[in-house]
Amino acid sequence: YKNSVKENLGWFEDDISETFKLIEKCDLSKSSIIFNAGAGETLLIKKLQIDGYSNIIINDISDVAIEKLKSSLDTLKGLNFIIDDLTNPDKLLKIEDVDLWHDRAVFHFFTDRKDIEKYKEVAIKNISDGGYLVHGTFSINGPKKCSGLDVSQYSEQSLNEIFKSDFNLLESFYIDHQTPFDTTQNFLFCIFKK
């Protein structure tokens, strides 16, 4: 983050319309608690604010990313920023009653079973009963590496296998993401309900 502009990061999404449609499908009230995992400099937060959502928790492991995101927003009202590690959380263990947990392009970076289980544990603890888990992660047709790091790939079945003990899969679909490097990454998007 220190040396790159957001538009040059492979995971940056300059068109958030598909992601926003997924959130709209959950039919949340404007005061619902929305958690954005690994937000980076996402454009989604500004879009949620414009649409009247007023209770947004923004997480990233990078303080630089959080500061850049803050500086891009017109107001910080209704926002709670948490710099914490999803696989070794401290502050994240103190939140609760999340109505919608949104993760686009974080989960696939967890390749160790222990990290995947810890992430799942944190999500289960924080998402309220009846709450939603919206996931966008690399599909089995997606890349095997991202930003030089090994990643996990998922099918609808394999992702559902991880979360089915506590969530019901409502919908899934695949979408191609065009990177700034003129490559295509195939994503699996799923909506789960607790």
Side-chain angles (χ1 to χ4, degrees):
Y1 274 103
K2 290 180 183 176
N3 301 320
S4 297
V5 294
K6 64 184 174 197
E7 292 82 5
N8 290 340
L9 298 170
W11 56 82
F12 181 72
E13 183 181 34
D14 61 351
D15 178 4
I16 53 131
S17 57
E18 288 298 322
T19 297
F20 192 72
K21 283 181 200 172
L22 288 173
I23 291 170
E24 286 183 314
K25 284 183 178 187
C26 297
D27 197 27
L28 303 171
S29 74
K30 300 298 183 182
S31 62
S32 295
I33 300 173
I34 297 175
F35 176 83
N36 196 102
E41 292 181 72
T42 183
L43 302 175
L44 180 62
I45 305 306
K46 186 174 257 187
K47 173 65 175 156
L48 289 168
Q49 287 181 311
I50 289 168
D51 276 52
Y53 292 94
S54 60
N55 204 346
I56 306 166
I57 301 169
I58 299 137
N59 161 253
D60 204 285
I61 196 169
S62 168
D63 58 335
V64 173
I66 292 289
E67 289 307 315
K68 285 184 175 184
L69 178 59
K70 283 180 178 179
S71 69
S72 73
L73 299 169
D74 299 328
T75 179
L76 302 182
K77 183 179 178 191
L79 304 180
N80 179 11
F81 295 89
I82 300 176
I83 299 166
D84 205 358
D85 182 346
L86 288 159
T87 63
N88 187 22
D90 175 35
K91 298 173 196 154
L92 291 174
L93 296 175
K94 297 174 178 92
I95 65 171
E96 55 188 29
D97 298 328
V98 169
D99 297 301
L100 184 140
W101 176 293
H102 172 260
D103 176 344
R104 182 197 166 276
V106 174
F107 190 69
H108 54 239
F109 284 104
F110 305 133
T111 57
D112 183 275
R113 190 76 199 156
K114 179 181 68 135
D115 290 340
I116 292 167
E117 286 301 316
K118 188 61 179 180
Y119 177 102
K120 176 183 168 185
E121 179 185 313
V122 173
I124 291 167
K125 180 207 167 293
N126 290 326
I127 299 171
S128 63
D129 289 340
Y132 296 90
L133 171 63
V134 175
H135 250 282
T137 193
F138 286 149
S139 78
I140 55 173
N141 297 315
K144 292 180 173 37
K145 285 189 173 279
C146 184
S147 299
L149 300 172
D150 290 331
V151 294
S152 296
Q153 299 171 303
Y154 294 95
S155 65
E156 175 187 317
Q157 294 77 20
S158 64
L159 193 60
N160 189 40
E161 189 64 33
I162 292 169
F163 292 103
K164 72 180 184 179
S165 62
D166 295 275
F167 296 90
N168 293 314
L169 177 62
L170 301 180
E171 181 179 342
S172 68
F173 64 92
Y174 296 88
I175 191 167
D176 286 330
H177 166 67
Q178 195 69 32
T179 72
F181 318 110
D182 206 28
T183 58
T184 302
Q185 299 173 331
N186 190 249
F187 273 78
L188 166 66
F189 279 90
C190 293
I191 301 176
F192 295 92
K193 188 169 186 177
K194 187 173 177 190

